[in-house]
Amino acid sequence: MNAGSPPATAQGTRTQCTGGLVADDFISFSKVTKDFGSLRVVEDLELDIAQGEFVSLLGPSGSGKTTLLMMLAGFETVTGGEIRLDGQRINDLPTYKRDMGVVFQNYALFPHMTAAKNVAFPLEMRGTPRAEVADRVARALEMVKLGPFAGRLPIQLSGGQQQRVALARALVFEPRVVLMDEPLGALDKQLREQMQLDIRELHHRLGLTIIFVTHDQDEALTMSDRIAVFNQGQIQQCAPPRHVYDSPANRFVAEFIGETNLLAGKVRAIDGRAITFALPDGSICRARGVPGLAPGAEALLSLRPERIGIGAADAAIDGPNIARGEIADIIYQGDHLRVVIDSSVGRLVAQLGRKDAEWTPGAKVAVSFDEADGWVIAP
Amino acid sequence: MKLARAIYAALIIFFLVAPLLVILPLAFTSSAFLTYPIPSFSLRWFEELVVRSVWSRAILNSLIIAGSTTVLATALGTLAALGLRSLGLGLRGQIQTLFLLPMVVPAVVLGVGMQAIFVRVGINSTYFSVIAAHTVIAIPFVLISVSGALAGIDPRVERAAESLGASPPRVFALVTLPLAMPGVLSGAALAFATSLDEVVLTLFVAGPNQRTLARQMFSSLRENISPAIASAAFIIIVGTVLVAAALLLLRRKRA
């Protein structure tokens, strides 16, 4: 298979979703629109994907992510705009000529064929010599650790095994792109996490270009080079996982990825990257934020629960980024504690390690956060 | 309660097969009449079926007509089911109803209409007219059976095949058709049985040369009630059971 490491651009430095036809734009969507009757499900969408890149399309159901994948696979027509693969316009190219491996959520194995026959199918469609087919099928099944199950029919395999057969079938013919439509959605949690690591490993080892549709943010964070966050037919942000989580582009992204506390306030001043933010109770804090904010504008401060620190109310020194409050509730979550605090700036949810278990509801506390951990976005 | 249920089930089954139980033993009577008691066991009426040309001819006719009907109805019914499947939901229901009409319309009405058309075109009382008439009433059975099988196919499986490089004709040949095959086969069996059994239409559109077994039984009942009818019925039943058994076997082999 296509050995070698993916190009450097795939490693997570790109934050732009669009960039015109640069050399490394292996797949590009430009101004892509899709209507179902009078309903517009994808609107003027721009997305460029480099060869060897793992891009997740993440969003709630009905956000257009699956439709985009179906257009790329050729199962849905494109209403407007253009999809290019390796420089070639593929809007009207029939699915079977696109050379893309598709993995479906329900596996979509051929029920009347054994695992080996399923995997051999794409090779036989390409007229691969018989001896080579047998060899490659064996290797592909080995790769997904299903060698001993080659002769089984799909109904004789468990869900996880079926999905691995589907994976082998989508990879065995070395497609130019692998498309995955919520492939792990039907598996239980443990198996899902194992498969995430397996797919991630295959991606690195084989240098595959993978487009992965999911509504599970953990899955997207675990596996992707970049995450494209979808809502209402548009990409809200497209960036590496760390960037999407730490520096969400807007309120939707901040709330959809992970959990966050949103505090309404006003931008007081901007100095380079540092933003001075005024909370309604009059307190001032310093944080970072999205570009394009103006002093005096209404804005939201996003605070991740795990970035909030708690200290004893009397021990804390005064200063910016500190508020006082009282613990309303503590919820034990196994590996961490969720602490609900009624503070002077509003209700906050903080996430603490188990060592902080000495806090009890009713305790007066001071909450604080690092300047680099607060993130200001437009309301 | 359990006993009551068992008795009830036994009664229903008896009700269903009693006519067969009455007629089948008479196929082996040595008497010249279709009545009980049976004096002694004999195969003379089977011999009569083979030797008397009206009967042997009728059996041959039935095989030719039922065979052709099966091929035609299966092909057309399967195509219709495939076409309906690709239609939008609204239109599908209406057109399907249209296709099923021959099942609902009384055979006499169909027969009169067909005879009128066939006579005008000048092809009444030919094998073609009988086969065409039988095909019309056999198609709904194939359509229902194949539609059922197609409904059980996940369209994503076909999409998967296409994404793996199979052109639409190959998707059909390698995925859709094999998966629909059980439905096609039961449709074919039903079409065969329908044709074998059909009398009313045959009365209208067949001439003396297309006398089928069912038709021959029907007319010989009026002329002279000979036990040859029972023997013919025996052959039809055994034939039907064999076809059904072969189907079951085929299906089990696939599963």
Side-chain angles (χ1 to χ4, degrees):
Chain A
M1 301 214 174
N2 188 11
S5 62
T9 46
Q11 296 303 318
T13 49
R14 284 161 47 118
T15 54
Q16 285 284 314
C17 285
T18 66
L21 274 177
V22 202
D24 63 356
D25 288 339
F26 187 53
I27 302 168
S28 75
F29 297 86
S30 60
K31 291 211 162 294
V32 171
T33 297
K34 176 68 185 176
D35 294 340
F36 286 121
S38 60
L39 188 71
R40 177 152 290 187
V41 288
V42 173
E43 186 162 17
D44 277 347
L45 187 133
E46 305 272 340
L47 176 62
D48 292 335
I49 293 161
Q51 193 158 21
E53 200 175 14
F54 192 127
V55 175
S56 287
L57 312 183
L58 175 67
S61 48
S63 61
K65 59 192 195 302
T66 296
T67 305
L68 192 75
L69 196 79
M70 294 295 115
M71 285 193 282
L72 184 55
F75 298 140
E76 294 287 357
T77 56
V78 179
T79 307
E82 193 174 70
I83 304 178
R84 287 178 170 272
L85 173 63
D86 211 1
Q88 182 201 2
R89 181 189 146 100
I90 59 167
N91 284 34
D92 305 314
L93 193 68
T95 296
Y96 68 97
K97 288 183 182 162
R98 292 197 184 193
D99 202 27
M100 296 179 181
V102 185
V103 183
F104 295 85
Q105 176 173 8
N106 68 338
Y107 326 132
L109 294 178
F110 306 127
H112 57 305
M113 299 184 195
T114 61
K117 277 276 168 203
N118 265 281
V119 178
F121 189 87
L123 297 176
E124 282 163 0
M125 290 306 107
R126 287 164 175 76
T128 313
R130 195 172 283 242
E132 192 189 332
V133 170
D135 187 46
R136 283 170 71 173
V137 168
R139 268 191 292 150
L141 284 173
E142 209 53 57
M143 178 181 74
V144 294
K145 305 179 193 87
L146 280 177
F149 299 94
R152 298 258 188 108
L153 287 171
I155 49 163
Q156 296 166 319
L157 297 169
S158 71
Q161 289 169 335
Q162 289 186 47
Q163 193 55 295
R164 297 221 294 277
V165 174
L167 196 59
R169 186 178 68 174
L171 297 182
V172 71
F173 62 105
E174 296 173 20
R176 291 194 284 181
V177 189
V178 180
L179 309 180
M180 301 193 181
D181 184 15
E182 309 214 16
L184 310 180
L187 305 179
D188 63 54
K189 188 169 182 288
Q190 224 171 356
L191 199 53
R192 195 161 63 223
E193 285 169 1
Q194 182 56 47
M195 289 285 290
Q196 286 171 10
L197 297 179
D198 287 351
I199 292 174
R200 194 181 139 98
E201 206 254 343
L202 281 173
H203 168 239
H204 287 314
R205 188 148 57 88
L206 306 175
L208 302 166
T209 307
I210 298 180
I211 323 278
F212 189 99
V213 165
T214 181
H215 63 263
D216 180 338
Q217 41 160 314
D218 289 331
E219 203 160 272
L221 291 171
T222 303
M223 306 176 75
S224 325
D225 292 323
R226 279 192 300 154
I227 299 174
V229 184
F230 275 68
N231 191 36
Q232 299 185 331
Q234 288 175 323
I235 294 182
Q236 306 294 315
Q237 187 173 13
C238 178
R242 179 183 297 269
H243 204 98
V244 171
Y245 185 80
D246 287 342
S247 315
N250 55 36
R251 179 172 186 162
F252 178 81
V253 177
E255 288 187 311
F256 191 74
I257 310 247
E259 197 187 345
T260 197
N261 297 287
L262 288 178
L263 304 174
K266 260 191 183 143
V267 175
R268 180 66 61 83
I270 300 175
D271 177 16
R273 291 186 60 210
I275 293 174
T276 309
F277 190 77
L279 288 158
D281 71 337
S283 63
I284 297 292
C285 62
R286 292 167 67 79
R288 306 272 184 258
V290 294
L293 291 168
E298 301 273 346
L300 292 169
L301 173 68
S302 164
L303 272 181
R304 298 291 185 190
E306 75 280 5
R307 307 280 163 85
I308 294 177
I310 295 188
D314 44 359
I317 343 135
D318 273 333
N321 297 7
I322 289 183
R324 290 175 198 282
E326 185 182 313
I327 294 181
D329 197 7
I330 297 179
I331 302 142
Y332 178 73
Q333 303 254 273
D335 59 341
H336 67 268
L337 299 171
R338 278 166 58 81
V339 182
V340 183
I341 304 150
D342 285 324
S343 78
S344 53
V345 294
R347 173 162 282 210
L348 293 172
V349 175
Q351 180 179 324
L352 300 180
R354 296 185 53 193
K355 283 182 183 160
D356 297 297
E358 74 265 19
W359 296 109
T360 51
K364 305 271 189 231
V365 292
V367 293
S368 63
F369 63 94
D370 266 8
E371 181 177 334
D373 288 336
W375 186 257
V376 182
I377 52 181
Chain B
M1 192 59 209
K2 221 172 181 183
L3 185 73
R5 267 204 301 202
I7 290 173
Y8 175 72
L11 280 175
I12 292 286
I13 290 172
F14 178 76
F15 175 71
L16 290 175
V17 300
L20 300 182
L21 295 179
V22 171
I23 195 72
L24 287 185
L26 285 173
F28 299 95
T29 184
S30 61
S31 154
F33 301 101
L34 195 66
T35 50
Y36 281 104
I38 297 171
S40 71
F41 174 84
S42 159
L43 290 176
R44 62 178 281 209
W45 296 110
F46 285 97
E47 196 186 330
E48 165 124 348
L49 288 188
V50 183
V51 175
R52 290 258 326 261
S53 69
V54 266
W55 285 107
S56 57
R57 184 67 198 270
I59 292 174
L60 185 69
N61 276 342
S62 269
L63 287 179
I64 292 172
I65 290 165
S68 313
T69 300
T70 304
V71 172
L72 237 112
T74 306
L76 294 175
T78 303
L79 285 176
L82 287 166
L84 284 177
R85 182 182 187 226
S86 59
L87 274 183
L89 274 179
L91 209 56
R92 186 192 301 175
Q94 291 159 17
I95 296 186
Q96 177 143 359
T97 310
L98 203 70
F99 271 117
L100 299 185
L101 224 49
M103 251 172 130
V104 188
V105 175
V108 181
V109 178
L110 273 180
V112 172
M114 285 183 186
Q115 190 188 44
I117 293 174
F118 289 148
V119 165
R120 174 153 303 185
V121 185
I123 54 164
N124 205 37
S125 304
T126 61
Y127 280 102
F128 177 82
S129 64
V130 184
I131 293 168
H134 284 193
T135 301
V136 167
I137 55 161
I139 282 179
F141 292 98
V142 179
L143 182 73
I144 289 177
S145 172
V146 177
S147 290
L150 287 176
I153 300 177
D154 183 348
R156 281 170 292 196
V157 170
E158 291 165 295
R159 283 184 162 189
E162 208 190 337
S163 76
L164 294 167
S167 57
R170 291 173 103 176
V171 174
F172 176 73
L174 297 172
V175 178
T176 315
L177 194 57
L179 289 177
M181 203 37 106
V184 175
L185 290 178
S186 12
L190 287 170
F192 189 84
T194 305
S195 168
L196 209 58
D197 179 53
E198 155 53 40
V199 176
V200 180
L201 282 179
T202 315
L203 284 173
F204 282 98
V205 300
N209 287 330
Q210 291 85 40
R211 205 159 255 248
T212 62
L213 193 54
R215 165 85 204 275
Q216 173 63 23
M217 286 166 72
F218 186 71
S219 54
S220 69
L221 259 178
R222 287 188 313 184
E223 295 153 14
N224 57 328
I225 306 182
S226 108
I229 296 168
S231 305
F234 185 84
I235 287 179
I236 288 190
I237 289 167
V238 170
T240 314
V241 168
L242 280 181
V243 170
L247 266 174
L248 258 171
L249 217 71
L250 245 153
R251 217 181 251 202
R252 191 159 306 171
K253 225 171 148 188
R254 284 178 173 278

